[in-house]
Amino acid sequence: LDVRDDPQAMFRRHQLRFVALGSHDRARLTRLVEASSVESQYLRFHRATGRVTTSLARELADLDGRTAHGMGLADANGELVAEARIRTHGDGSGDFALLVRDDHQGLGLGTGLIGVVVRHAQLLGLHSLHARVLACNKAMLGVLARAVPMTVGPVRGGMIRVTIPIAPANYTTC
């Protein structure tokens, strides 16, 4: 099974369900971040957050479905164990980020979510996705390298800009 081809099967194998996220998920997103270690928070937000502030909670839930798209993986209780997001720009590109709760890392969930993010970007008509990854975040760079073709820019200020080219979506016509 190649999770890039069928991430949903891998999510089901771990008894997780894929969910679309929106502004109504503020509390679940907050709990996900607060359940993550300070290290995971630092690697995702480039700062350790500890408790989620009101402004960060507002930022997490800023998912309007037009320029900001969120997707997550929920357990049997409906709690998020991972989330990914795309923020589109008017030029056909977008930024993406993801977070996997510590107790679910190493299961392939990040790789599977990246596949879903790329597919969503195709459906949005984007030609590229970008992320700023801390140069020390070897795990995320490894996940990206396994999941998708990408280009990696030089290290600047401890950050690496990753670019994922997005192929046009294949539509079947009758």
Side-chain angles (χ1 to χ4, degrees), residues 7 11 20 25 27 30 34 39 41 60 69 113-115 121 124 131 137-138 141 144 152 162 170:
F11 300 154
D25 290 300
T30 297
E34 289 181 346
E39 179 184 9
Q41 291 174 7
L60 288 169
H69 307 263
L113 269 177
I114 290 169
L124 292 171
N137 193 346
K138 302 300 184 201
L141 292 169
L144 288 165
V152 178
V162 173
N170 293 325

Side-chain angles (χ1 to χ4, degrees), residues 35-57:
S36 299
S37 68
V38 171
E39 179 184 9
S40 290
Q41 291 174 7
Y42 177 75
L43 293 172
R44 162 61 177 85
F45 299 102
H46 308 164
R47 65 184 187 277
T49 60
R51 302 260 324 144
V52 173
T53 63
T54 301
S55 64
L56 179 57

Side-chain angles (χ1 to χ4, degrees), residues 48-120:
T49 60
R51 302 260 324 144
V52 173
T53 63
T54 301
S55 64
L56 179 57
R58 194 171 22 256
E59 180 183 322
L60 288 169
D62 183 18
L63 299 167
D64 61 17
R66 291 184 316 279
T67 60
H69 307 263
M71 50 216 79
L73 296 174
D75 65 16
N77 297 319
E79 288 300 313
L80 293 174
V81 300
E83 70 96 14
R85 59 189 56 229
I86 300 172
R87 182 163 308 276
T88 61
H89 306 293
D91 62 358
S93 70
D95 295 323
F96 76 97
L98 67 95
L99 174 66
V100 177
R101 204 171 68 194
D102 295 66
D103 59 339
H104 282 74
Q105 291 176 8
L107 302 175
L109 303 180
T111 303
L113 269 177
I114 290 169
V116 172
V117 165
V118 167
R119 179 68 180 138
H120 194 75

Side-chain angles (χ1 to χ4, degrees), residues 1-16 18 73 109 112 116:
L1 173 69
D2 187 333
V3 297
R4 292 171 293 188
D5 295 330
D6 189 7
Q8 297 293 341
M10 187 259 306
F11 300 154
R12 284 190 302 275
R13 190 171 62 246
H14 292 293
Q15 300 178 351
L16 300 171
F18 179 80
L73 296 174
L109 303 180
V116 172

Side-chain angles (χ1 to χ4, degrees), residues 134-146:
L134 289 168
C136 66
N137 193 346
K138 302 300 184 201
M140 180 58 147
L141 292 169
V143 165
L144 288 165
R146 286 187 301 277

